[in-house]
Amino acid sequence: MSLKSERRGIHVDQSELLCKKGCGYYGNPAWQGFCSKCWREEYHKARQKQIQEDWELAERLQREEEEAFASSQSSQGAQSLTFSKFEEKKTNEKTRKVTTVKKFFSASSRAGSKKEIQEAKAPSPSINRQTSIETDRVTKEFIDFLKTFHKTGQEIYKQTKMFLEAMHYKRDLSIEEQSECTQDFYQNVAERMQTRGKVPPEKVEKIMDQIEKHIMTRLYKFVFCPETTDDEKKDLAIQKRIRALHWVTPQMLCVPVNEEIPEVSDMVVKAITDIIEMDSKRVPRDKLACITRCSKHIFNAIKITKNEPASADDFLPTLIYIVLKGNPPRLQSNIQYITRFCNPSRLMTGEDGYYFTNLCCAVAFIEKLDAQSLNLSQEDFDRYMSGQTSPRKQEPETWSPEACLGVKQMYKNLDLLSQLNERQERIMNEAKKLEKDLIDWTDGIAKEVQDIVEKYPLEIKPPNQPLAAIDSENVENDKLPPPLQPQVYAG
């Protein structure tokens, strides 16, 4: 198949990667196509709408209770006395319900109330526990980094410490609420540094990277793939899906990469290594760095193969091929973790955001990949997916003269194995058919015997009188002398 073949079902317009609200930032499938900023705005609007609806519902229920209570009173005096008590009770109940509703929707998205912060100042057994060597190292690096900022650094460390202590008491909240708390903390710290500390934007970005590294190294084991989510289920589903698609070839995806070139083959191996290494990192920024390195190796592989710079249409099919070939561990969990707890500015702009958005598109394409996307018939696609057969390998006459002899021999061996597999399948089918015929023949013979037995039943007569001795009726011999007995003579 030519490398310049028309792409089927894989092309993604670059405008589709941007936020659907038109703000110019990169969108994300986890945010329903919005960027981080627009998603938070939509989230807050929906939350405020829910609060308003609950408020109106509470007021309507109170009015109905008031009318029902007032109509049940027979006397005006008793009604007046009781109604005043009911008004007091209604006011208290209304205040309690509204406060409960506000706490339900707002407590998880704010940095915490004063009472919560005061309680968080108490030593936490979880935070004071013996930490790992990596956590200690990251904490020491964070403190050394903040020392260069003097007073601003002290304020940042204090806020970070209070945030970690507050997050200890929020572990029972949903992962979305914990993510909202973390995103609010990022935004508040960045705004405070720019407005109060007058810190330049480039330094703000470096400080935010260190803050993210510090807090997420500590929170990683609690917020990565928590048991309260279905992240693990999604991981197993995408892993099983990729395994079922092991037969997909670069030619089917129109991947413009020639792995027979040693340099290109090395780039492909490095790209697969980087995408797999993503799972070993704790910090969202480090996971994004693995995706970025993987993507750059892909661009270099395409450039070497085509002797020209790679385009976006070349990049996405190749990224899909790398994901299928590498089958990264806990892929969905890593994507969700980055989406929830990464500094939002990194996902909205820059090369990290662009490559991450393309990875999300690649995973979405793999989940929805069908026969039409690969220009296959539905019958062939179903056979490949079920493992009944595999796509035909490249024919020898289509190989280039410069192709490696080892590669040619490998394909010949694969063809022989494929033929042997087909012969074995035919033998197995014939054996199953013979087994079925034998079973049918045995059943037929048994049925015929049963029919004959039923048609000609076996009659068993009663036994005759017991037979007597041959000479039992010889009466004349009754007085015969006894038989001779042997005698022993002495001498």
Side-chain angles (χ1 to χ4, degrees), residues 117-327:
I117 297 299
Q118 291 175 358
E119 293 176 353
K121 290 181 180 180
S124 170
S126 177
I127 294 180
N128 292 337
R129 70 187 185 280
Q130 184 178 3
T131 55
S132 64
I133 297 177
E134 182 180 2
T135 303
D136 293 338
R137 178 182 58 81
V138 171
T139 302
K140 185 177 182 302
E141 292 176 356
F142 183 62
I143 295 174
D144 294 339
F145 173 79
L146 293 179
K147 286 181 179 179
T148 58
F149 294 92
H150 306 294
K151 187 176 180 180
T152 303
Q154 295 178 1
E155 182 66 21
I156 293 173
Y157 180 77
K158 181 179 179 182
Q159 295 176 12
T160 305
K161 184 178 179 181
M162 293 177 62
F163 169 75
L164 289 173
E165 291 175 344
M167 286 295 290
H168 169 70
Y169 295 96
K170 294 177 184 258
R171 288 179 188 170
D172 294 335
L173 300 178
S174 66
I175 194 64
E176 287 77 15
E177 292 173 317
Q178 296 184 52
S179 171
E180 188 72 13
C181 293
T182 305
Q183 298 295 333
D184 284 339
F185 174 73
Y186 287 150
Q187 183 178 359
N188 293 335
V189 172
E191 291 178 354
R192 185 170 298 184
M193 284 191 293
Q194 293 176 353
T195 56
R196 297 184 181 181
K198 304 298 181 182
V199 181
E202 59 275 7
K203 289 188 177 181
V204 170
E205 196 67 26
K206 292 181 179 179
I207 295 174
M208 293 303 301
D209 289 342
Q210 292 296 325
I211 292 175
E212 177 189 311
K213 182 178 181 181
H214 174 60
I215 65 175
M216 295 316 303
T217 301
R218 284 183 168 272
L219 298 176
Y220 175 80
K221 62 185 298 184
F222 304 107
V223 298
F224 181 84
C225 190
E227 296 180 355
T228 56
T229 65
D230 58 349
D231 292 350
E232 184 176 2
K233 182 179 178 181
K234 293 180 179 179
D235 289 335
L236 296 176
I238 190 66
Q239 190 177 56
K240 182 178 179 181
R241 175 71 172 173
I242 292 176
R243 286 177 179 174
L245 293 169
H246 65 91
W247 49 268
V248 176
T249 63
Q251 291 76 19
M252 293 179 180
L253 296 171
C254 297
V255 175
V257 169
N258 185 5
E259 294 186 64
E260 295 180 2
I261 303 175
E263 294 182 38
V264 175
S265 178
D266 291 342
M267 291 294 176
V268 171
V269 172
K270 290 179 180 179
I272 295 175
T273 303
D274 287 329
I275 198 68
I276 293 176
E277 188 182 0
M278 173 179 63
D279 185 60
S280 64
K281 304 299 181 181
R282 287 191 173 189
V283 184
R285 180 170 60 92
D286 294 341
K287 293 181 181 291
L288 279 178
C290 292
I291 299 174
T292 301
R293 290 197 303 269
C294 169
S295 302
K296 289 184 176 180
H297 289 317
I298 291 175
F299 273 106
N300 290 334
I302 298 174
K303 182 178 180 181
I304 295 173
T305 302
K306 300 181 65 176
N307 291 323
E308 62 182 21
S311 63
D313 290 340
D314 296 330
F315 170 68
L316 185 58
T318 311
L319 179 60
I320 294 171
Y321 173 68
I322 293 296
V323 173
L324 289 175
K325 195 169 183 179
N327 196 359

Side-chain angles (χ1 to χ4, degrees), residues 44-54:
H44 284 297
K45 287 181 181 178
R47 188 171 59 187
Q48 292 298 328
K49 182 180 178 182
Q50 184 66 35
I51 292 175
Q52 183 65 27
E53 291 178 355
D54 290 343

Side-chain angles (χ1 to χ4, degrees), residues 309-376:
S311 63
D313 290 340
D314 296 330
F315 170 68
L316 185 58
T318 311
L319 179 60
I320 294 171
Y321 173 68
I322 293 296
V323 173
L324 289 175
K325 195 169 183 179
N327 196 359
R330 300 192 292 185
L331 181 57
Q332 288 287 8
S333 291
N334 282 286
I335 291 177
Q336 292 295 332
Y337 177 71
I338 294 172
T339 302
R340 293 164 180 161
F341 297 101
C342 183
N343 186 357
S345 62
R346 284 192 169 274
L347 301 183
M348 294 165 60
T349 57
E351 61 180 9
D352 288 344
Y354 174 75
Y355 295 139
F356 179 72
T357 304
N358 275 273
L359 177 62
C360 295
C361 292
V363 174
F365 176 83
I366 291 173
E367 292 176 338
K368 300 178 181 179
L369 189 143
D370 54 10
Q372 185 178 5
S373 303
L374 301 176
N375 197 26
L376 297 173

Side-chain angles (χ1 to χ4, degrees), residues 356-416:
F356 179 72
T357 304
N358 275 273
L359 177 62
C360 295
C361 292
V363 174
F365 176 83
I366 291 173
E367 292 176 338
K368 300 178 181 179
L369 189 143
D370 54 10
Q372 185 178 5
S373 303
L374 301 176
N375 197 26
L376 297 173
S377 65
Q378 189 63 43
E379 180 181 359
D380 289 341
F381 182 81
D382 294 338
R383 291 172 60 197
Y384 297 157
M385 288 295 291
S386 62
Q388 295 179 0
T389 184
S390 58
R392 185 177 296 276
K393 305 299 180 182
Q394 191 177 22
E395 297 297 335
E397 57 269 14
T398 61
W399 290 334
S400 62
E402 296 81 9
C404 177
L405 294 177
V407 174
K408 293 181 180 180
Q409 186 63 40
M410 179 186 68
Y411 278 113
K412 290 180 180 178
N413 294 337
L414 290 175
D415 290 336
L416 290 176

